[in-house]
């Protein structure tokens, strides 16, 4: 039996100052947007505020209640909103499986502190190191540079059985992946190829490392050598290349406002009925105002009506996040809109930038083998003790909350 799992991804605002500074940075209010009362949080960017995605339990493929995700970060969190869609229709009576897509998979790009944790999305909110922000259309892919050859992965932290595919698995993925022996696994740590091995059952990326899987027909298979220089990064294969300069990225589903004009009829990749611009439902969104503030809000309305209000307010760009039971908004120690359906039980999160929701319907695209534009190298993950067993029996499967 499939149920709606209450999980989420939060777009979290981490303020690295004392509580005395909160009022000057975070403003909460109730405004009429789309003809309804909206809970709104305004964030004034500063060098002391970091906006980034937080994944539940620090791992992909797991869930946790929104309050637990916020509490885990401690008093550093001053505001948070649910993020993009995830697979809430998986069967909890079966083992969680990446290969069978039976797990709380997040749909949308996530880059945290320069490291790509999830690929996807056609729109995204990007935050640079200096606090500047941008919402734009962009397809963002993980990359691995081997020597002078930059390879664009088909996906990050999701498997792909196509013989020509190459994909990246990071140590944030909590679930093991069954990789055919005919595939090659390139393990990278601290900018160097640490190991090259054949595929195996229940592969898990060693702690502190990144793995690229090259399936049997991938034409760069056999290129990697132990000791070779290697860098994990990301690039934009389609859309606004400025996203390559961002430190933190949270993917959305569609544009609501683009360059100060309604964009709700210009999202061809979003075709789910409940995402129709004129359908009224609980909506969450992120926007950038005319004066450069970040606006986070939840409201029961249609995207078309929301867009009309935002344009009148002078909003330059806005994008959708997950909605319905996933919609959640938090600021200054108080939950302004709790996640969950009536009577509003506690909701769980797969990430702190996207709450649980329905899987959107969009067209699929295969990435080109190499990036056509310069790609950003990710900050190298801090070295941690390597796991003792990369391929091992699946003795512990994380349970979704």
């Amino acid at each position: 039996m499939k149920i709606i799992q209450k999980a989420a991804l939060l777009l979290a605002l981490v303020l690295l100052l004392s509580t005395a500074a909160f009022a000057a940075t975070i403003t909460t209010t109730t405004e009429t947007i789309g003809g309804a009362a909206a809970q709104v949080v305004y964030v004034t960017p500063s060098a002391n505020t970091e906006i980034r995605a937080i994944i539940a339990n620090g791992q992909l493929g797991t869930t946790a209640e929104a309050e637990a995700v916020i509490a885990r970060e401690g008093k550093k969190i001053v505001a948070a909103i649910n993020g993009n869609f995830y697979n809430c229709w998986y069967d909890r009576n079966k083992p969680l499986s990446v290969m069978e897509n039976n797990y709380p998979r997040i749909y949308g790009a996530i880059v945290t502190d320069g490291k790509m944790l999830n690929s996807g999305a056609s729109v995204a909110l990007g935050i640079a190191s200096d606090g500047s922000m941008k919402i734009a259309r962009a397809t963002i892919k993980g990359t691995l540079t081997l020597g002078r050859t930059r390879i664009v992965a088909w996906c990050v932290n999701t498997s792909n059985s196509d013989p020509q595919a190459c994909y990246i698995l990071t140590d944030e993925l909590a679930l093991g992946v069954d990789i055919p022996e005919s595939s090659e696994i390139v393990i990278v740590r601290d900018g160097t190829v640490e190991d090259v091995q054949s595929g195996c059952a229940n592969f898990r990326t060693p702690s502190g490392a990144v793995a690229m899987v090259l399936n049997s027909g991938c034409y760069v298979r056999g290129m990697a050598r132990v000791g070779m220089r290697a860098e994990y990064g990301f690039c934009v294969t389609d859309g606004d290349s400025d996203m390559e300069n961002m430190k933190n990225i949270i993917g959305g589903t569609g544009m609501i406002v683009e360059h100060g004009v309604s964009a709700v009829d210009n999202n061809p990749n979003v075709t789910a009925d409940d995402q129709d611009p004129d359908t009224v439902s609980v909506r969450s969104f992120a926007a950038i105002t005319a004066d450069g503030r970040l606006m986070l809000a939840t409201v029961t309305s249609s995207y078309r009506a929301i867009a009309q209000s935002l344009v009148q307010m002078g909003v330059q760009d806005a994008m959708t996040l997950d909605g319905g039971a996933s919609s959640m908004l938090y600021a200054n120690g108080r939950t302004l809109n709790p996640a969950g359906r009536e009577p509003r039980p506690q909701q769980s999160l797969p990430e702190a930038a996207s709450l649980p929701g329905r899987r959107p319907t969009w067209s699929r695209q295969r990435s080109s083998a190499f990036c056509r534009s310069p790609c950003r190298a990710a900050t190298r993950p801090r070295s941690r003790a390597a796991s003792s067993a990369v391929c091992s029996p699946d003795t512990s499967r994380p349970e979704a909350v």
Side-chain angles (χ1 to χ4, degrees):
M1 174 180 174
K2 293 185 177 180
I3 65 170
I4 295 180
Q5 174 64 28
K6 300 170 183 175
L9 166 68
L10 294 176
L11 170 57
L13 308 167
V14 184
L15 187 61
L16 307 178
L17 286 179
S18 65
T19 55
F22 287 1
T25 304
I26 307 296
T27 303
T28 62
T29 184
T30 301
E31 299 183 11
T32 300
I33 297 177
Q39 296 293 328
V40 184
V41 175
Y42 288 102
V43 182
T44 303
S46 73
N48 298 310
T49 303
E50 182 180 14
I51 304 168
R52 60 185 174 89
I54 298 174
I55 56 177
N57 309 307
Q59 295 180 308
L60 294 167
T62 69
T63 64
E65 292 181 355
E67 288 76 5
V69 176
I70 293 170
R72 184 175 181 267
E73 296 295 314
K75 295 182 178 180
K76 295 182 296 182
I77 301 292
V78 295
I81 192 171
N82 64 278
N84 200 21
F85 289 89
Y86 87 107
N87 178 20
C88 66
W89 299 106
Y90 65 92
D91 191 338
R92 295 183 73 194
N93 294 321
K94 295 181 179 179
L96 297 180
S97 172
V98 175
M99 295 70 66
E100 301 296 329
N101 195 31
N102 192 55
Y103 71 110
R105 173 187 172 186
I106 295 165
Y107 297 99
I110 307 171
V111 174
T112 297
D113 294 331
K115 182 181 181 181
M116 170 156 269
L117 305 185
N118 208 69
S119 58
S122 55
V123 302
L125 165 65
I127 305 96
S129 297
D130 62 1
S132 59
M133 301 173 293
K134 189 168 195 175
I135 293 176
R137 299 181 189 273
T139 299
I140 306 165
K141 298 286 187 178
T143 65
L144 186 69
T145 301
L146 292 174
R148 296 182 179 180
T149 302
R150 179 176 285 119
I151 307 163
V152 176
W154 289 26
C155 49
V156 175
N157 283 326
T158 301
S159 65
N160 192 309
S161 61
D162 190 303
Q164 299 182 42
C166 60
Y167 56 95
I168 289 170
L169 302 173
T170 74
D171 61 347
E172 283 82 8
L173 182 61
L175 306 175
V177 179
D178 293 337
I179 301 173
E181 290 186 12
S182 59
S183 297
E184 181 179 83
I185 305 172
V186 180
I187 299 175
V188 175
R189 186 190 303 276
D190 295 332
T192 303
V193 175
E194 181 179 78
D195 191 18
V196 180
Q197 63 184 63
S198 298
C200 60
N202 194 39
F203 173 82
R204 296 171 188 259
T205 302
S207 180
V210 171
M212 173 168 268
V213 179
L214 307 170
N215 286 349
S216 59
C218 181
Y219 74 93
V220 291
R221 186 180 183 277
M223 175 187 296
R225 298 288 184 271
V226 173
M228 178 183 287
R229 183 178 65 84
E231 292 289 343
Y232 177 43
F234 63 90
C235 71
V236 173
T237 58
D238 184 47
D240 195 323
S241 60
D242 284 350
M243 285 292 169
E244 293 178 359
N245 301 316
M246 300 300 175
K247 179 182 178 182
N248 294 292
I249 296 173
I250 299 95
T253 303
M255 295 292 288
I256 302 174
V257 176
E258 191 169 15
H259 307 310
V261 178
S262 173
V264 296
D265 292 316
N266 191 24
N267 294 305
N269 290 343
V270 183
T271 59
D273 291 341
D274 61 359
Q275 296 301 297
D276 183 271
D278 296 305
T279 298
V280 175
S281 184
V282 182
R283 306 297 189 188
S284 293
F285 63 88
I288 296 177
T289 64
D291 59 2
R293 291 180 297 167
L294 177 64
M295 177 185 186
L296 307 174
T298 60
V299 64
T300 301
S301 185
S302 69
Y303 286 132
R304 191 177 307 282
I306 293 170
Q308 292 171 349
S309 294
L310 295 182
V311 169
Q312 293 173 359
M313 296 167 66
V315 165
Q316 297 302 295
D317 298 288
M319 72 176 192
T320 66
L321 298 169
D322 194 7
S326 300
S327 289
M328 189 281 300
L329 189 63
Y330 168 95
N332 294 334
R334 189 164 62 97
T335 299
L336 305 177
N337 188 75
R341 302 192 185 282
E342 298 295 345
R344 288 301 206 185
Q346 297 262 326
Q347 181 112 347
S348 305
L349 320 173
E351 327 161 55
S354 237
L355 281 167
R358 299 150 307 287
R359 176 178 179 175
T361 303
W362 44 32
S363 61
R364 296 172 181 261
Q365 291 184 338
R366 179 179 295 181
S367 67
S368 57
F370 290 93
C371 186
R372 294 189 294 269
S373 60
C375 299
R376 184 188 191 282
T379 303
R380 296 180 187 176
R382 294 180 181 177
S383 178
R384 288 172 281 178
S387 62
S388 57
V390 176
C391 297
S392 59
D394 191 2
T395 56
S396 61
R397 292 183 182 271
E399 292 294 329
V401 176

